[in-house]
């Protein structure tokens, strides 16, 4: 789409180097590319980035996304997914960003884990911040798993198949929605273009896929027959995992848009002062490494959340 300037921001040095090389090879000459190291939790660094570059549009995909790891490290998940997001959302308003696109997840719907609850909290914050500003449009996109992305099950299965197995699946009935990286990226850009502020765009993921079917198909594509040439084993659901994911809450009214793959969901208004008070308690809980208080505060922010602290939960 030939932007005049593209700022790539990541706290992971190797990931930033990799994407800079990939995008740099495809960028038109007139696009100025900046590879910027930084953590969204570092307010001073983020303030410098906004002041230095003055972006027109921000796409925020920064988050801890691995469900079991965030279950074991809830304070770190909250500090990044909630307070990191809130910080750059506030800075977007302060520095006059035109559009802020928050990339969310199907796990934010009726969350059964800390990761999902933190992403739902970020959704609520951004949508309600939109009501408090008239110059920055906050838009949320929500979708499921992206094939071959960081943490995707596909590279894990490929590695297990190359090693001769076993291929590990948590449960024989577990299903997930999947889309490709180009499809996800293009739909996020499209939603950002369509959005005027306050929307939650739900990306059509098609039909959910049984993970065991995916494991079997990947095995057969390498010439191995599951059950005879390679073993598929079931390891049990991990803390916070659901058998299936949902793209929208039952109380959210979906409507169609001009794009056949993008649906529009309503957002939920909350009392701003009450939300901020609970978030202050949540931040204090993170500082104290108080797991129970973290869970309690998240449930106040996301009443539909249904989870309990894992026995393995650290902080």
């Amino acid at each position: 789409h030939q932007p005049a300037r593209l700022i790539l921001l990541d706290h992971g040095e190797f990931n930033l180097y990799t994407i800079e090389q990939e995008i740099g090879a495809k960028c038109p000459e007139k696009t100025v590319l900046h590879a910027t190291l930084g953590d969204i939790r570092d307010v001073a660094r983020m303030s410098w980035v906004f002041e230095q570059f003055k972006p027109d549009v921000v796409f925020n995909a920064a988050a801890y996304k691995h469900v079991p790891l965030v279950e074991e490290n809830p304070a770190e998940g909250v500090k990044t997914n909630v307070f990191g997001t809130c910080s750059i959302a506030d800075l977007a308003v302060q520095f006059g960003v035109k559009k802020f696109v928050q990339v969310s997840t199907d796990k934010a719907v009726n969350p059964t884990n800390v990761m999902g609850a933190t992403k739902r909290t970020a959704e609520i914050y951004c949508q309600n911040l939109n009501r408090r500003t008239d110059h920055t449009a906050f838009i949320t996109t929500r979708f499921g798993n992206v094939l071959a992305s960081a943490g995707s099950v596909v590279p894990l299965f490929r590695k297990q198949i190359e090693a001769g197995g076993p291929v590990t699946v948590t449960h024989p009935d577990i299903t997930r929605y999947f889309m490709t990286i180009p499809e996800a990226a293009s739909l996020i850009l499209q939603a950002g273009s369509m959005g005027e502020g306050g929307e939650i765009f739900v990306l059509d993921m098609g039909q959910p896929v049984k993970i065991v079917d995916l494991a079997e198909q990947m095995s057969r594509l390498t010439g191995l027959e599951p059950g005879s040439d390679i073993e598929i084993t079931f390891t049990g659901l991990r803390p916070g995992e659901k058998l299936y994911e949902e793209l929208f809450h039952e109380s959210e009214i979906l409507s169609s848009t001009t794009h056949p793959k993008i649906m529009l969901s309503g957002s939920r208004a909350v009392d701003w002062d009450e939300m901020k008070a609970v978030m202050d308690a949540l931040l204090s809980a993170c500082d104290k490494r108080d797991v129970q208080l973290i869970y309690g505060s998240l449930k106040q922010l996301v009443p539909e959340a249904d989870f309990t602290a894992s026995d393995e939960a650290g902080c």
Side-chain angles (χ1 to χ4, degrees):
H1 298 283
Q2 300 185 356
R5 186 187 305 269
L6 185 61
I7 302 106
L8 308 171
L9 190 141
D10 202 314
H11 79 291
E13 182 185 44
F14 179 72
N15 286 340
L16 181 60
Y17 166 77
T18 302
I19 196 65
E20 180 195 23
Q21 294 297 305
E22 179 180 337
I23 292 183
K26 301 174 183 177
C27 259
E29 287 186 6
K30 70 176 185 178
T31 297
V32 180
L33 194 65
H34 297 275
T36 307
L37 278 169
D39 190 324
I40 62 168
R41 303 194 321 196
D42 185 341
V43 176
R45 175 60 169 162
M46 292 302 101
S47 296
W48 182 91
V49 169
F50 276 87
E51 187 169 17
Q52 178 75 16
F53 297 119
K54 296 179 174 58
D56 297 305
V57 182
V58 172
F59 294 92
N60 178 42
Y64 285 131
K65 306 177 183 73
H66 192 273
V67 169
L69 284 179
V70 177
E71 286 298 293
E72 292 184 25
N73 303 273
E76 295 307 303
V78 168
K79 287 197 292 182
T80 293
N81 297 3
V82 176
F83 294 108
T85 296
C86 292
S87 289
I88 59 170
D90 291 339
L91 287 168
V93 174
Q94 180 183 336
F95 286 94
V97 170
K98 293 184 179 71
K99 285 191 177 183
F100 184 104
V101 181
Q102 170 67 9
V103 179
S104 193
T105 169
D106 54 1
K107 294 173 181 63
V109 181
N110 297 318
T112 59
N113 50 66
V114 173
M115 194 281 278
T118 59
K119 294 294 284 183
R120 179 60 184 141
T121 300
E123 285 186 1
I124 293 169
Y125 188 89
C126 288
Q127 297 312 300
N128 283 275
L129 187 59
N130 185 78
R131 295 181 171 93
R132 299 174 63 83
T133 176
D134 57 5
H135 62 263
T136 302
F138 285 88
I139 300 147
T140 295
T141 62
R142 186 193 289 162
F143 55 97
N145 296 277
V146 178
L147 286 165
S149 63
S152 167
V153 73
V154 171
L156 173 63
F157 283 174
R158 187 179 296 122
K159 184 177 180 180
Q160 290 175 336
I161 291 167
E162 288 173 354
V167 181
T168 57
V169 179
T170 55
H171 192 282
D173 297 322
I174 194 168
T175 63
R176 289 293 182 265
Y177 291 99
F178 286 101
M179 66 198 316
T180 65
I181 290 173
E183 186 177 27
S186 64
L187 286 174
I188 289 170
L189 290 170
Q190 185 71 38
S193 175
M194 293 166 54
E196 297 179 356
E199 303 95 341
I200 297 178
F201 287 111
V202 181
L203 307 187
D204 182 2
M205 301 290 295
Q207 294 300 311
V209 175
K210 289 187 73 171
I211 300 300
V212 66
D213 291 346
L214 179 63
E216 290 175 350
Q217 184 177 10
M218 286 185 65
S219 298
R220 292 191 179 104
L221 286 172
T222 61
L224 301 174
E225 183 60 32
S228 56
D229 301 320
I230 192 167
E231 184 182 4
I232 294 178
T233 62
F234 298 103
T235 57
L237 290 175
R238 297 170 294 182
E241 276 192 319
K242 291 197 286 188
L243 277 178
Y244 60 93
E245 300 292 356
E246 305 157 273
L247 289 171
F248 57 94
H249 190 269
E250 61 183 7
S251 65
E252 294 177 339
I253 300 173
L254 284 182
S255 57
S256 61
T257 68
T258 55
H259 194 292
K261 296 280 285 183
I262 300 177
M263 297 171 287
L264 179 62
S265 170
S267 58
R268 184 174 80 203
V270 300
D271 184 285
W272 184 261
D273 292 334
E274 288 182 7
M275 179 182 68
K276 293 287 283 185
V278 177
M279 289 180 67
D280 288 343
L282 179 60
L283 181 59
S284 175
C286 290
D287 291 339
K288 295 174 182 175
R289 307 283 159 175
D290 187 327
V291 176
Q292 294 303 327
L293 187 54
I294 288 171
Y295 274 72
S297 297
L298 284 173
K299 284 186 176 182
Q300 283 184 268
L301 292 163
V302 188
E304 67 270 24
D306 181 19
F307 53 60
T308 56
S310 165
D311 292 337
E312 290 92 26
C315 226

